[in-house]
Structures are given as structure tokens and as C-alpha cells.
Amino acid sequence: MMLRGFRAFIFDLDGCIYRGNIPIPGAADTIAHLRKLGKKILFLTNNATRTPEQYVEKLKGMKVDADVDDVLTSATATAIFLSKKYGKVSVFPVGGRGLIQELEKIGHTTVDAHEIEKAEFVVACLDPEFTYEKLDLACQAIFSGAKLVATNIDQTIPVEEGFKPGAGAIVAAISAATGAEPEVVGKPFRHIIKIALERLGTVASETVFVGDRLDTDIQAGKDVGGFTILVLSGSTKRETAEKVDNPKQKPDLILADVSYVQQLLI
């Protein structure tokens, strides 16, 4: 009953709705139940490797009801952020189609190795095809005057077998080589949360933030005054969550997984 009064729910994806390609048991039923109650839903992910369309396809493959407007990636948020703050800009992307499509959809121009000196920004995200050549090109763009922007700085991402390096490792490499401090858009920074709430049409105090990481999902919700739920199906163990003394990362509620949300809506 304690959650019934909230208008909207923001869910992380990796470690919350699924882990790698394995759905979290009960996630689809929970989302369906929330929609039946008329709650607004947004899936908010720092992972920018997929386009929103690809995330919708993945979610539907797991029987989770979603459309493109229900998914906000850090790539989409970064494209919106750049447009609002700087206008249409030229970008050297350290990332794949999930990043490039969202930048170009907003109207930004992406540049390649042949025109690296034209880049006004280097935008970095999780990139499974990250190479020394990409690192070098990103550095050359920054040495030529480009600013460094990170979609997020997550150190790891949860997968079926454990964890893999996240975007933060790639951003750290670029920053170490150039001395450039990145402007970060994704969770826990407020840029992405502002865009998320605008899309939902709600304010933080009437929104529940659900995720598996204390330093991104929970802190993002706490920073804006939302109600936060940590699920233990991803990156964080219960003992870690219970020992946290940073008030910005202390969840309002800890649940084993998202299926338990339904019990708090009766």
C-alpha cells in the first residue's frame, strides 16, 4: 500500500529488469500490474550500447510491455543535453550504433578519423569495440580543442556470469591520457534525471526510483527527492546496502527483486 500513491516508476534495466539476457523473475508481471493501476513507467539505463528501439525489442522478448517513449538511454539523454546546452554540435563518438543514432537523431553531426579536427566534443560510452586507435583519435580530438562528455561513468555492468567493465573504464582511459575532466550526463547526475522527469510529466516527490546500484540509481533518486528502492538482483549485496552510511546512497527500501513491488501496491 505504501507505493500506491506514487504516480510514476523509473526502473533501471541491467540488474533490475534483467541480468544480461536473463529476465528477472516477476519483472514482466510487475510492470503489467503497474500499468493496470495507471502508473507511468520509464526504463532508464546508463547503458548506451543499444538504441531505444533495440531495448524495446529486448523487453518485449521478455514479455515486458514497452514502447520507444518508455525507454531513455544515457545516449539519448546526452544528445538532448548537448542540444539544450550547446545547440547542434559535431561529435567524435566513442561508442556504437546506440550512441551514434541518438546523436544524429537530434541533429548532431558525427565525425570519423578523417575529420577528427572538426570534432567539438568527444562523447564516450560503453563500447565493446573500444581499441587503442579509438583512444588515440579521442585524444587527438581533445588535444585539438574538443570537450569530453561521458554518457555515464559506471565502473562495471552486471551480466549473467558476473560483471564486465563499464563505460567508466573507457572514460577514465581518455581522461588519463588527456587530463580532460568529463562532463557526465547519466545517473547519478541530474542531467538525465531532469530529462526523465520531463518525459514522464511528473516531479521527483511523486516518482519511485528502482535500481540495483547505490552510487547511480539510488543516489540519482535521493538527490532529487524521490522515493528509492534498491533491488538485490544486480550489483549490490544486502550487507553492503545495510552498512551504507552515505545518506545520498541510503535507499528508502530494499527488496530482493522487482517482483516484491506488487506486494506494496495492494
Side-chain angles (χ1 to χ4, degrees), residues 139-159:
C139 292
Q140 296 310 314
I142 292 170
F143 292 149
S144 296
K147 297 178 181 179
L148 177 60
V149 173
T151 63
N152 72 92
I153 50 174
D154 291 359
Q155 295 179 346
T156 60
I157 57 170
V159 294

Side-chain angles (χ1 to χ4, degrees), residues 43-118:
F43 300 104
L44 182 64
T45 178
N46 270 355
N47 192 330
T49 57
R50 287 183 170 92
T51 65
E53 290 82 1
Q54 288 172 323
Y55 275 115
V56 168
E57 183 179 355
K58 180 173 182 174
L59 287 167
K60 287 187 174 180
M62 296 177 177
K63 309 301 183 184
V64 177
D65 182 30
D67 60 37
V68 172
D69 289 337
D70 296 329
V71 178
L72 178 63
T73 74
S74 62
T76 306
T78 299
I80 294 170
F81 164 76
L82 286 172
S83 183
K84 286 185 174 182
K85 187 170 181 178
Y86 301 103
K88 304 299 186 289
V89 297
S90 58
V91 176
F92 176 68
V94 179
R97 175 49 51 184
L99 174 63
I100 294 169
Q101 176 178 301
E102 295 309 290
L103 288 167
E104 294 181 345
K105 185 189 297 183
I106 295 292
H108 302 301
T109 302
T110 56
V111 303
D112 58 20
H114 301 293
E115 47 187 3
I116 197 67
E117 72 283 349
K118 294 182 181 179

Side-chain angles (χ1 to χ4, degrees), residues 2 12 26 30 39 46 83 89 92 116 124 126 138 179 195 197 200 210 216 226 245 251:
M2 66 184 297
D12 181 42
T30 297
K39 306 301 182 182
N46 270 355
S83 183
V89 297
F92 176 68
I116 197 67
L126 179 61
I195 294 167
L197 292 173
L200 284 168
V210 187
T216 56
D245 55 6

Side-chain angles (χ1 to χ4, degrees), residues 25-262:
D29 288 342
T30 297
I31 299 302
H33 186 65
L34 286 167
R35 292 195 187 282
K36 186 177 180 180
L37 292 175
K39 306 301 182 182
K40 295 184 176 184
I41 303 290
L42 184 70
F43 300 104
L44 182 64
T45 178
N46 270 355
N47 192 330
T49 57
R50 287 183 170 92
T51 65
E53 290 82 1
Q54 288 172 323
Y55 275 115
V56 168
E57 183 179 355
K58 180 173 182 174
L59 287 167
K60 287 187 174 180
M62 296 177 177
K63 309 301 183 184
V64 177
D65 182 30
D67 60 37
V68 172
D69 289 337
D70 296 329
V71 178
L72 178 63
T73 74
S74 62
T76 306
T78 299
I80 294 170
F81 164 76
L82 286 172
S83 183
K84 286 185 174 182
K85 187 170 181 178
Y86 301 103
K88 304 299 186 289
V89 297
S90 58
V91 176
F92 176 68
V94 179
R97 175 49 51 184
L99 174 63
I100 294 169
Q101 176 178 301
E102 295 309 290
L103 288 167
E104 294 181 345
K105 185 189 297 183
I106 295 292
H108 302 301
T109 302
T110 56
V111 303
D112 58 20
H114 301 293
E115 47 187 3
I116 197 67
E117 72 283 349
K118 294 182 181 179
E120 298 171 275
F121 291 86
V122 170
V123 175
C125 69
L126 179 61
D127 185 358
E129 297 180 356
F130 186 63
T131 62
Y132 182 83
E133 181 182 7
K134 280 190 179 181
L135 173 60
D136 181 40
L137 288 169
C139 292
Q140 296 310 314
I142 292 170
F143 292 149
S144 296
K147 297 178 181 179
L148 177 60
V149 173
T151 63
N152 72 92
I153 50 174
D154 291 359
Q155 295 179 346
T156 60
I157 57 170
V159 294
E160 298 98 320
E161 64 273 19
F163 298 93
K164 287 189 175 182
I170 293 172
V171 175
I174 299 171
S175 184
T178 62
E181 288 295 323
E183 188 161 21
V184 186
V185 175
K187 297 178 287 186
F189 295 86
R190 292 195 179 201
H191 302 306
I192 197 170
I193 301 304
K194 181 180 179 181
I195 294 167
L197 292 173
E198 286 175 353
R199 181 172 290 194
L200 284 168
T202 61
V203 296
S205 60
E206 54 190 9
T207 305
V208 178
F209 294 76
V210 187
D212 68 306
R213 295 181 67 114
L214 297 169
D215 59 347
T216 56
D217 306 311
I218 301 307
Q219 185 169 328
K222 298 291 282 188
D223 277 350
V224 296
F227 187 87
T228 58
I229 299 176
L230 177 77
V231 290
L232 302 175
S233 50
S235 300
T236 308
K237 296 183 181 299
R238 181 177 291 276
E239 51 266 34
T240 301
E242 291 177 344
K243 290 179 181 178
V244 66
D245 55 6
N246 183 350
K248 290 186 176 182
Q249 296 183 8
K250 192 172 185 63
D252 295 300
L253 193 62
I254 301 174
L255 300 176
D257 57 54
V258 292
S259 67
Y260 289 86
V261 168
Q262 291 190 67

